[in-house]
């Protein structure tokens, strides 16, 4: 009996050790974003810990399972009786991974508004240099020291807990079997989270309408491992709300349009098209869209002379989804991204395909690596004849950590267009307004903070766009060219007021500009609420091209088009109308943001059902491609 208690004590101490490490992980996360803790203060923190406890127990049990399996096998296989040294090595390796994930998670949450995920890890593996460049926007010294100190002190705690314990084996097999059954039962119980029908999952930790509280309660390592070991999302939807016919009925009013009522704002239906996709150019950078003054003065001039869409929202929160939203009019897919699956994205329709069939010559320009996020394969598969990226520039050209500077890329595109036959479709995706926000020629708003750097790189982007347009005005093709400017997604900077659940985080500029716009419509402000993916149908209507293949795109210049927009991130999705805005957490199955709390409940529920049906249908399309 005494030996049984002794061996059980080893398990208890090792389990308690990893539980403490889980607590430290959560403490680091909460401390890093302490400003998000409300008036409840310490009591709110305790509640976060309480609701996250089941996931912490599960992670600790998972970590304990491997060494204790080897421990019991060693009784029957004498050659495996290696003592405690393998456990020391295993513990050190897991600690390193634990603290590495812990501090990377803080940086990712600060930039993305979501905790570390398979998607983030895949992005690092795909482009380690790009990920390192993003990380440069946060001081690297603190996380490195945190990892070193965390691993060192935690290992010291581990050796202290095991200082007076000795590895033993039983002489009687019955005692070994008894201990094995006891320990296996406990570990299984903790791993599964109990014996109910539904196994443990991250939603168990959700308890608040404040998204940060729920994110803090979810164990970081648990959520990450679950993504890797759960069913492939290619074939399993996270959105299961309505049957197909019911979804169709719910969504029908959203896509009601009159095919003959659209404003015709262009002087002809075959203009040249230059599409400029602006990296991270949130509406908070544009004064006339409710943003800061002086950051984008040239874009303000362009909007005054063109047709500006005042209430446009990005489909999602990252560039991979923004590119698909713009060029294929396909909404964001929450935890997935269709562009990373070549076999799927090749089946999407694309803007370049229709324009190619009409004789448009096309090219896509980007100063970085076009292979990132499979942008190159996507463009070439969708009617774009040539992709120009950092590989096509002289190695001596001015570069940032991400690639060639935007002004160099604009200069190259302008030179190439001069040799082009009309009509043409040229697109460019800017680069420099991205973490770490580096500039070689000085910062307009200083570089003391990331927000100031972000303002400065946005100002730079704004300046090079105007320089490009001024040079274009001197060419023969300018008068018959429609310039379209739209951001790929929003950003937490410069205000840092809106988290990933708030619609303002997704508010972006979208502008049609050029002498090809009829004088009567220059300066028009379109007040209709819409999405980035509505750009395609709006443009195609002006060109007289059918947009039937793009079921998720609507003509925003049609007065009959309903005023509504959608947005999503990894764990939540939202819907925007004039009188109400809602964000819904599909993991915790709860509303995490509501603009108008006095809005009738029945109308709010109806609006939420539209959002649920929308994303369920979008994801079904994703699986079908």
């Amino acid at each position: 009996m005494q030996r049984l208690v002794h061996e059980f004590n080893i398990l208890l101490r090792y389990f308690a050790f990893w539980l403490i490490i889980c607590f430290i992980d959560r403490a680091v996360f909460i401390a890093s974003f302490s400003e998000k803790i409300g008036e409840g203060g310490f009591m709110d923190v305790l509640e976060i810990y309480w609701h996250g406890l089941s996931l912490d127990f599960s992670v600790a049990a998972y970590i304990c399972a491997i060494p204790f399996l080897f421990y019991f096998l060693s009784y029957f296989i004498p050659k495996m009786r290696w003592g405690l040294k393998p456990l020391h090595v295993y513990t050190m390796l897991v600690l390193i991974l634990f603290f590495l994930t812990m501090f990377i998670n803080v940086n990712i949450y600060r930039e993305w508004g979501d905790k570390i995920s398979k998607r983030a890890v895949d992005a690092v593996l795909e482009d380690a240099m790009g990920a390192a460049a993003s990380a440069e926007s946060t001081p690297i010294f603190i996380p490195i020291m945190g990892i070193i100190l965390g691993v060192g002190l935690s290992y010291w705690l581990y050796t202290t807990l095991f200082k007076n314990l000795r590895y033993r084996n039983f002489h009687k097999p019955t005692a070994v079997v008894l201990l094995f059954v006891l320990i296996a039962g406990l570990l299984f119980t903790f791993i599964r989270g109990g014996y109910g029908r539904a196994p443990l999952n991250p939603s168990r930790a959700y308890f608040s309408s404040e998204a940060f509280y729920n994110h803090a309660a979810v164990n970081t390592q648990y959520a990450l491992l679950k993504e890797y070991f759960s069913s492939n999302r290619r074939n399993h939807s996270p959105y299961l709300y309505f049957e197909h016919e019911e979804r169709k009925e719910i969504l029908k009013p959203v896509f009601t349009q009159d095919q003959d009522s659209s404003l015709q704002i262009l002087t002809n239906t075959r203009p040249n098209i230059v599409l400029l996709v602006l990296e991270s150019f949130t509406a908070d950078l544009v004064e006339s869209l409710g943003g800061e003054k002086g950051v984008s003065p040239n874009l303000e001039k362009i909007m005054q002379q063109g047709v500006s869409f005042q209430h446009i929202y990005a489909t999602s929160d990252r560039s991979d989804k923004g590119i698909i939203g713009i060029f294929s009019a396909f909404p964001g897919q929450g935890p997935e991204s269709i562009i990373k699956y070549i076999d799927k994205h090749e089946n999407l329709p694309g803007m370049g395909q229709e324009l190619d069939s009409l004789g448009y010559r096309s090219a896509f320009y980007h100063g970085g690596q076009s292979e990132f996020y499979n942008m190159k394969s996507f463009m070439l598969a969708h009617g774009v004849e040539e992709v120009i990226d950092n590989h096509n520039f002289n190695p001596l050209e001015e570069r940032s950590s991400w690639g060639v500077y935007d002004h160099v890329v604009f200069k190259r595109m302008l030179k190439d267009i001069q040799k082009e036959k009309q009509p043409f479709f040229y697109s460019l995706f800017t680069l420099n307004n991205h973490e770490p926000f580096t500039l070689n020629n000085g910062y307009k708003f200083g570089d003391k903070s990331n927000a100031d750097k972000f303002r400065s790189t946005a100002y730079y982007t704004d300046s090079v766009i105007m320089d490009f347009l001024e040079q274009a005005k001197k060419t023969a093709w300018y008068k018959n060219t429609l310039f379209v400017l739209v951001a790929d997604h929003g950003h937490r900077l410069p205000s840092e007021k809106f988290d990933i659940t708030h619609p303002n985080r997704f508010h972006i500029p979208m502008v049609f500009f050029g002498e090809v716009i009829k004088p009567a419509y220059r300066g028009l402000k379109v007040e209709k609420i819409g999405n980035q993916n509505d750009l395609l149908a709006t443009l195609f209507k002006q060109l007289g091209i059918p947009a039937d293949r793009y079921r998720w795109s609507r003509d925003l210049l049609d007065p009959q088009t309903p005023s509504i927009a959608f947005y999503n991130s990894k764990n939540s999705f939202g819907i925007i109308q004039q009188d109400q805005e809602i964000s819904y957490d599909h993991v915790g199955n709860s509303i995490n943001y509501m603009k108008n709390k006095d809005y009738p409940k029945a109308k709010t529920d109806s609006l939420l059902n539209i959002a649920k049906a929308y994303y369920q249908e979008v994801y079904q399309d994703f699986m079908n491609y």
Side-chain angles (χ1 to χ4, degrees), residues 424-454:
F424 55 77
F425 168 50
Y426 271 53
S427 55
L428 186 150
F429 182 21
T430 67
L431 182 76
N432 292 103
N433 197 42
H434 191 293
E435 300 88 349
F437 315 119
T438 54
L439 291 172
N440 289 342
N441 299 317
Y443 293 83
K444 169 71 175 178
F445 297 95
D447 59 356
K448 292 183 179 179
S449 68
N450 282 336
D452 286 338
K453 289 181 181 179
F454 181 69

Side-chain angles (χ1 to χ4, degrees), residues 134-153:
S134 292
E136 289 176 27
S137 63
T138 348
I140 198 69
F141 174 77
I142 295 175
I144 289 177
M145 288 304 300
I147 293 169
I148 293 172
L149 288 173
V151 172
L153 292 173

